[in-house]
C-alpha cells in the first residue's frame, strides 16, 4: 500500500490560532482525508513552534513560566483543532524530548559534514519574523511585514554554509518541477537562487530559551533551524529510526507563502548537508485576508476561528474556505460572504436536497427505495463529476474538488425540477418511473456525500446515513463514489441540516442560486420563504433568508384581476393563457394551473396577480404578471380568491 506523509507549518504560540492559521490546517486536513479516502496509508502531522523569543517574552509578560505557558497554549490549540475536526495523526511540540533529540542529531550531522562554523553576526533582527533583516528591506526603519522596529544584534553565532548548496538546490529545482508549487512560489525561489545564497546564522548567544548547540551549551539553535527539524523528529529521527525509514521523505509540506524561503531553500540544504533525502513536495498556499486586510492579531484584523465555526458548525466554515479560495491564491473572509455562501450552498442547495429526497421517499415509498437495477440519467453526470473531482484533488486544487461535488448536487436539484416526482406520483401508471427517479436522486446524493467526506466530514457522514449507506464511514473509499443501481436504501428523515439564516445580501445570494427559478405565472410561491419543502418546485429561487422588511414586501404590487378569457396553451400540460382586466388595462398572462382548472371555469373569476413583475415569455407567449395560487406539495394549485366581488385593479396587501 502506498503511503503519504503530510505536514503543516507548526504555529507560534504567542497568540491563539486565527482564521488564517486555521485555514492552513483545514486545507491540509482535506488533503489528508482525501488520501485516506483513496486508501493510502496517511500520516498527518501538525504541531507548535515554542522556542520563539516572542513566545518567551509573552510568557514573561504574563508572569508565567515559559514552559507552563506553552503547555496551556498547546491545550488551547488542540481544542481549536478538535472543534474544526482536524484529523492529525500526531502533534509535535518543539519543547518535547523527542524533538530535542532529533534537532541535536541533525545539527551534529551538519557539523560533521563541515557545514557549521563559528563567526560573529551584526545586524537587524525582527523577533516576530525570527529573522535577520537587511537594511535595504526595511520600510521607514521597520520590518515590512510586522511594521515594528527590528533589534540591532551583535553576537557570536554559528553559521551554516548555505552558499555551498546553491548549485545543488538549483539542480533540484530544475529536475523536480513540482518540488515547490504553485508556480508563482517556485519562480520567486528560482530568482533567489539565481542571485546566489549567503551563509546564514544558525544559533543565538546568551539565551536560555531554545535547544542548546550540541557542543556549546551557551548558544541555542536558531528557532527556524529548530522548527524545521520537527518534520523529521515527529517521525522518530533521533529516537526511532524504523519509523523514519517508513515515513521519510515527507510527501508534502503545506505552508504559507511567507515562509517558502525557509522550506524550499534552507530546509532542503540542511537535509542535503546531513545526507538525508529532501521532501518530495512543498505547497505554498496564499493568505486569507479579512475584508481585504492581512489577518493579524497585532493589527486587530484576526478572525477567531471558533467564532466562525460556532456560527453554523465547523463544516460550513471548512466548505467556505476550501470552495471559495483557490488553493494557492489569496482569499478573503467576510461575515456577510460567509453567511451568503452558507445560504446558497448549504441551506438552499445541499441541505434542501437532502430534506427533499427524505420527504419524497417517505411520502411515496414509505422511506424504502429499491434499486431499479439500471443506472438512471444522473449516473453519467456523477461519473464525470467523480473524474473532475479526482483530477482536482490529486493536483491539490481543492476548490475544484468542492466544485465537482456541487456540480452533481446542482444537477440533482435540476433533475428533480425536470422530472417532477410529485406529478409522477399522481399517475399509478408511472410508478416505475417514480421509483427510478427517487432512487437516482438518493444515489446521486450518496455519491456527492462521498466526494464531500474530506471537506465536510461530519455532515457528509450524516448525509450518507440519511440516504441509507450501510458501510462504516471509516471503510468508505473513493471507489464507493461509483454509481450503484441495486439494493434497498432505507432513507432517514430528520431535521434540516442547515436552516437558513438572515443575511444582509439577499439579492446577491438569490442571483447566485443555480436552481432554476419559478417561472412567472406558474402557481406562485408565497413571498415568504417556504420551510425546506421537499418536492416543492423551486425552493432555492424563493426569497430564502427568513424575514423581510415591510418595505421589501411593499415592492411587490399585488392586484386583483378579472379573467376575461382563458385557453389551454398547446403542447403544454400545465399552462393556460389568460386575458385579464386589471382595472386600468387588459393584459395577457400565462399561468401553470391547467391541471387544476378547466379554462371555461376560469372565465369571470377574480384572481390575484403580481402586477409589477417583469414580462417573461412562456411557450412563446409573453406573460405580463403572475397569478397567485396555493401550491401544496404533490397536489394541485388552488387559486387565491375572494368571498365577495372585488373590482379589478384593487391593491392586495
Ligand atoms: N512557526 C512558523 C512556522 C514554522 S514551520 C517549521 C510560523 N508560524 S505562524 O504561526 O506564524 O504561522 C503558521 C502558518 O500559518 C504559516 O504557514 C503561515 O504562513 C500561516 N499563516 C499565517 N497567517 C495566515 C493567513 N492570514 N492566511 C493563511 N495562512 C496564514 O510561521
Amino acid at each position: 500500500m502506498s503511503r503519504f506523509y503530510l505536514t503543516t507549518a507548526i504555529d507560534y504560540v504567542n497568540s491563539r490560532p486565527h482564521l488564517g492559521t486555521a485555514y492552513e490546517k483545514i486545507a491540509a486536513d482535506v488533503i489528508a482525508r482525501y488520501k485516506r479516502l483513496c486508501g493510502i496509508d496517511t500520516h498527518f502531522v501538525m504541531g507548535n513552534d515554542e522556542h520563539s523569543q516572542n513566545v518567551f517574552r509573552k510568557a514573561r509578560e504574563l508572569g508565567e513560566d515559559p514552559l507552563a505557558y506553552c503547555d496551556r497554549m498547546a491545550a488551547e490549540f488542540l481544542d481549536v483543532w478538535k472543534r474544526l475536526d482536524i484529523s492529525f495523526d500526531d502533534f509535535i511540540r518543539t519543547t518535547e524530548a523527542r524533538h530535542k533529540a532529533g534537532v541535536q542529531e541533525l545539527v551534529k550531522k551538519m557539523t560533521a559534514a563541515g557545514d557549521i562554523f563559528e563567526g560573529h553576526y551584526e545586524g537587524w533582527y525582527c523577533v516576530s519574523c525570527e529573522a535577520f533583516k537587511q537594511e535595504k528591506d526595511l520600510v521607514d526603519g521597520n520590518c515590512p511585514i510586522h511594521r515594528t522596529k527590528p533589534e540591532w544584534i551583535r553576537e557570536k553565532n554559528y553559521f551554516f554554509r548555505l552558499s555551498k548548496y546553491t548549485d545543488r538546490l538549483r539542480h533540484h529545482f530544475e529536475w523536480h518541477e513540482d518540488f515547490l508549487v504553485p508556480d508563482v512560489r517556485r519562480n520567486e525561489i528560482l530568482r533567489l537562487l539565481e542571485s546566489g545564497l549567503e551563509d546564514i546564522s544558525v544559533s543565538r548567544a546568551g539565551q536560555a530559551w531554545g535547544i542548546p548547540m550540541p557542543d556549546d551549551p551557551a548558544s541555542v539553535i536558531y528557532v527556524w533551524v529548530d522548527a524545521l527539524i520537527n518534520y523529521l523528529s515527529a517521525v522518530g529521527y533521533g529516537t526511532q529510526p524504523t519509523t523514519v525509514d517508513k515515513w521519510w521523505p515527507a510527501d508534502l509540506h503545506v505552508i504559507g507563502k511567507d515562509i517558502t524561503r525557509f522550506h524550499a531553500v534552507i530546509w532542503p540544504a540542511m537535509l542535503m548537508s546531513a545526507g538525508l533525502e529532501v521532501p518530495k513536495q512543498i505547497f505554498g498556499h496564499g493568505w486569507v485576508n479579512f475584508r481585504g486586510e492581512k489577518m493579524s492579531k497585532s493589527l486587530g484584523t484576526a478572525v477567531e476561528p471558533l467564532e466562525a465555526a460556532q456560527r453554523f458548525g465547523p463544516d460550513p466554515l471548512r466548505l467556505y474556505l476550501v470552495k471559495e479560495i483557490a488553493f494557492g491564491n489569496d482569499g478573503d473572509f467576510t461575515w456577510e460572504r460567509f453567511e451568503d455562501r452558507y445560504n446558497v450552498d448549504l441551506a438552499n442547495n445541499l441541505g434542501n436536497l437532502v430534506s427533499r429526497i427524505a420527504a419524497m421517499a417517505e411520502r411515496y415509498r414509505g422511506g424504502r427505495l429499491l434499486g431499479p437495477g439500471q443506472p438512471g440519467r444522473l449516473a453519467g453526470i456523477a461519473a464525470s463529476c467523480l473524474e473532475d473531482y479526482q483530477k482536482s484533488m490529486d493536483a491539490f486544487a481543492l476548490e475544484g474538488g468542492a466544485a465537482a461535488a456541487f456540480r452533481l448536487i446542482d444537477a440533482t436539484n435540476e433533475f428533480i425540477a425536470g422530472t417532477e416526482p410529485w406529478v409522477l406520483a399522481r399517475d399509478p401508471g408511472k410508478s416505475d418511473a417514480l421509483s427510478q427517479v427517487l432512487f437516482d436522486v438518493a444515489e446521486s446524493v450518496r455519491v456527492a456525500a462521498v466526494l464531500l467526506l474530506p471537506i465536510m466530514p461530519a455532515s457528509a457522514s450524516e448525509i450518507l446515513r440519511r440516504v441509507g449507506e450501510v458501510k462504516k464511514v471509516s471503510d468508505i473509499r473513493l471507489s464507493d463514489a461509483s454509481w450503484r443501481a441495486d439494493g434497498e436504501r432505507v432513507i432517514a428523515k430528520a431535521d434540516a441540516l442547515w436552516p437558513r439564516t438572515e443575511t444582509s445580501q439577499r439579492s446577491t445570494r438569490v442571483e447566485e442560486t443555480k436552481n432554476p427559478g419559478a417561472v412567472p405565472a406558474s402557481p406562485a410561491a408565497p413571498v415568504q420563504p417556504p420551510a425546506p419543502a421537499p418536492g416543492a418546485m423551486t425552493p432555492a429561487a424563493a426569497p430564502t433568508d427568513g424575514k423581510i422588511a415591510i418595505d421589501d414586501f411593499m415592492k411587490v404590487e399585488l392586484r386583483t384581476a378579472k379573467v376575461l378569457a382563458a385557453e389551454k396553451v398547446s403542447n403544454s400540460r400545465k399552462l393556460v393563457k389568460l386575458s385579464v382586466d386589471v382595472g386600468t388595462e387588459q393584459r395577457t398572462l400565462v399561468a401553470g394551473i391547467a391541471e387544476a382548472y378547466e379554462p371555461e371555469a376560469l372565465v369571470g373569476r377574480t384572481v390575484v396577480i403580481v402586477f409589477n413583475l417583469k414580462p417573461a415569455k412562456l411557450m412563446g407567449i409573453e406573460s405580463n404578471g403572475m397569478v397567485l395560487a396555493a401550491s401544496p406539495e404533490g397536489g394541485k394549485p388552488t387559486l387565491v380568491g375572494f368571498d365577495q366581488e372585488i373590482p379589478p385593479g384593487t391593491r392586495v396587501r
Side-chain angles (χ1 to χ4, degrees):
M1 189 204 261
S2 57
R3 59 96 169 143
F4 196 82
Y5 175 29
L6 165 72
T7 67
T8 64
I10 54 173
D11 293 349
Y12 291 133
V13 295
N14 49 314
S15 55
R16 285 170 53 78
H18 59 63
L19 196 64
T21 46
Y23 167 65
E24 174 177 282
K25 313 307 179 281
I26 289 172
D29 185 58
V30 171
I31 296 173
R33 286 177 185 271
Y34 171 69
K35 294 293 173 188
R36 292 187 200 117
L37 188 66
C38 293
I40 296 169
D41 186 11
T42 301
H43 193 58
F44 173 28
V45 174
M46 296 177 13
N48 280 352
D49 187 353
E50 302 181 322
H51 284 138
S52 156
Q53 272 306 297
N54 265 332
V55 173
F56 181 78
R57 288 179 192 181
K58 182 76 184 189
R60 281 288 140 92
E61 204 181 291
L62 297 172
E64 291 182 44
D65 167 68
L67 192 55
Y69 169 81
C70 289
D71 290 346
R72 186 166 67 72
M73 290 307 281
E76 288 195 26
F77 272 72
L78 288 168
D79 179 55
V80 174
W81 304 145
K82 192 172 140 224
R83 286 166 193 251
L84 294 175
D85 223 348
I86 310 288
S87 64
F88 54 82
D89 298 293
D90 195 358
F91 192 87
I92 186 149
R93 295 176 49 190
T94 55
T95 48
E96 284 178 67
R98 61 171 173 158
H99 177 66
K100 184 176 166 189
V103 171
Q104 292 201 320
E105 172 94 2
L106 197 94
V107 173
K108 275 187 202 157
K109 287 265 159 55
M110 292 163 72
T111 311
D115 287 339
I116 302 290
F117 62 95
E118 227 181 294
H120 273 86
Y121 198 93
E122 192 165 9
W124 294 110
Y125 192 82
C126 171
V127 178
S128 293
C129 292
E130 289 286 13
F132 284 103
K133 299 273 152 182
Q134 299 202 347
E135 188 91 43
K136 68 173 171 53
D137 295 329
L138 303 182
V139 177
D140 297 330
N142 290 331
C143 163
I145 299 169
H146 294 95
R147 303 178 202 175
T148 47
K149 190 171 164 58
E151 295 168 16
W152 184 260
I153 277 170
R154 185 175 196 287
E155 61 188 30
K156 183 185 103 175
N157 275 181
Y158 291 91
F159 286 79
F160 169 45
R161 271 183 230 289
L162 182 62
S163 55
K164 176 175 154 189
Y165 292 94
T166 310
D167 283 342
R168 261 185 85 180
L169 284 168
R170 265 191 213 137
H171 280 123
H172 191 80
F173 270 85
E174 251 166 52
W175 286 94
H176 301 88
E177 284 202 348
D178 287 341
F179 178 56
L180 173 60
V181 287
D183 277 350
V184 54
R185 315 268 179 268
R186 172 183 161 83
N187 294 338
E188 271 169 34
I189 298 296
L190 286 177
R191 279 197 297 276
L192 184 79
L193 290 173
E194 266 164 35
S195 59
L197 298 173
E198 288 178 13
D199 297 338
I200 57 161
S201 156
V202 291
S203 73
R204 297 294 313 275
Q207 289 180 6
W209 186 238
I211 299 175
M213 285 294 282
D215 299 319
D216 181 358
S219 293
V220 295
I221 293 166
Y222 172 45
V223 63
W224 265 103
V225 170
D226 168 338
L228 287 162
I229 299 171
N230 91 85
Y231 302 129
L232 270 175
S233 61
V235 289
Y237 186 78
T239 50
Q240 284 194 339
T242 46
T243 46
V244 186
D245 292 345
K246 172 166 184 192
W247 294 111
W248 197 257
D251 291 272
L252 183 69
H253 292 322
V254 173
I255 54 152
K257 64 178 182 178
D258 55 325
I259 55 175
T260 46
R261 190 174 58 92
F262 295 101
H263 283 81
V265 177
I266 298 176
W267 177 227
M270 285 166 59
L271 291 162
M272 287 170 181
S273 166
L276 292 169
E277 282 185 76
V278 304
K280 292 188 195 152
Q281 198 169 32
I282 300 164
F283 193 104
H285 62 76
W287 289 103
V288 181
N289 297 320
F290 177 60
R291 295 192 176 284
E293 289 268 335
K294 178 176 166 359
M295 211 175 282
S296 129
K297 291 256 150 120
S298 51
L299 302 177
T301 48
V303 173
E304 166 62 53
L306 287 189
E307 195 187 337
Q310 271 153 10
R311 185 80 183 85
F312 309 116
D315 283 348
L317 177 66
R318 292 172 61 107
L319 179 71
Y320 176 90
L321 294 172
V322 168
K323 187 163 175 281
E324 296 308 302
I325 303 174
F327 195 45
N329 293 356
D330 288 350
D332 206 34
F333 179 90
T334 67
W335 290 102
E336 295 80 5
R337 177 118 183 104
F338 179 37
E339 288 180 1
D340 198 38
R341 295 314 312 172
Y342 166 86
N343 274 331
V344 174
D345 289 331
L346 296 176
N348 294 346
N349 205 356
L350 178 56
N352 202 22
L353 177 59
V354 173
S355 297
R356 291 172 93 184
I357 183 56
M360 290 193 292
E362 187 180 81
R363 179 167 307 122
Y364 305 130
R365 292 292 180 266
R368 289 176 179 271
L369 302 179
L370 210 56
Q374 56 186 23
R377 273 188 280 153
L378 284 169
I381 297 168
S384 109
C385 291
L386 170 61
E387 199 186 320
D388 288 353
Y389 172 87
Q390 212 167 346
K391 265 193 211 146
S392 298
M393 296 297 277
D394 285 340
F396 308 128
L398 309 181
E399 70 289 355
F406 272 82
R407 188 156 74 81
L408 182 56
I409 293 159
D410 289 339
T412 311
N413 268 319
E414 278 159 28
F415 178 73
I416 294 176
T419 52
E420 299 183 320
W422 49 95
V423 175
L424 297 176
R426 277 186 237 143
D427 183 347
K430 302 225 166 105
S431 178
D432 285 351
L434 177 63
S435 294
Q436 174 96 43
V437 165
L438 295 178
F439 188 88
D440 286 354
V441 170
E443 175 59 5
S444 191
V445 172
R446 190 193 65 79
V447 171
V450 172
L451 304 186
L452 286 173
L453 271 173
I455 303 170
M456 308 176 64
S459 317
S461 305
E462 171 60 11
I463 294 172
L464 286 169
R465 186 191 71 78
R466 290 190 188 189
V467 294
E469 173 62 70
V470 285
K471 259 195 186 179
K472 257 172 63 190
V473 169
S474 54
D475 292 341
I476 289 179
R477 295 288 167 264
L478 196 55
S479 51
D480 289 305
S482 302
W483 195 267
R484 296 183 204 145
D486 296 307
E488 192 191 40
R489 302 288 161 78
V490 180
I491 311 292
K493 218 178 148 198
D495 289 345
L497 283 166
W498 299 287
R500 295 180 181 87
T501 186
E502 267 184 58
T503 84
S504 50
Q505 299 190 349
R506 202 188 88 198
S507 58
T508 317
R509 186 188 62 253
V510 172
E511 271 160 31
E512 280 177 284
T513 303
K514 287 195 185 132
N515 281 351
V519 289
S522 71
V527 174
Q528 280 287 347
M537 290 243 327
T538 52
T544 49
D545 54 354
K547 309 224 166 42
I548 57 166
I550 185 76
D551 291 354
D552 286 336
F553 173 71
M554 293 310 276
K555 282 182 206 153
V556 182
E557 222 179 301
L558 300 175
R559 287 186 187 273
T560 55
K562 188 158 191 161
V563 180
L564 303 174
E567 62 178 276
K568 278 197 143 203
V569 173
S570 53
N571 294 328
S572 167
R573 241 181 328 114
K574 291 171 57 177
L575 298 181
V576 62
K577 179 180 159 190
L578 304 175
S579 178
V580 296
D581 173 5
V582 294
T584 47
E585 62 189 285
Q586 212 169 299
R587 285 190 182 184
T588 299
L589 301 179
V590 179
I593 52 175
E595 284 175 313
Y597 295 92
E598 288 304 322
E600 302 75 7
L602 291 167
V603 178
R605 272 186 87 124
T606 299
V607 293
V608 179
I609 66 163
V610 181
F611 182 79
N612 59 343
L613 200 67
K614 276 188 190 156
K617 268 205 170 158
L618 292 161
M619 304 289 285
I621 305 165
E622 187 173 276
S623 179
N624 228 316
M626 178 167 114
V627 177
L628 293 198
S631 310
E633 287 159 40
K636 292 181 179 176
T638 302
L639 287 166
V640 173
F642 300 95
D643 54 10
Q644 60 187 71
E645 265 302 302
I646 308 283
T650 307
R651 183 107 195 234
V652 179
R653 53 182 81 164

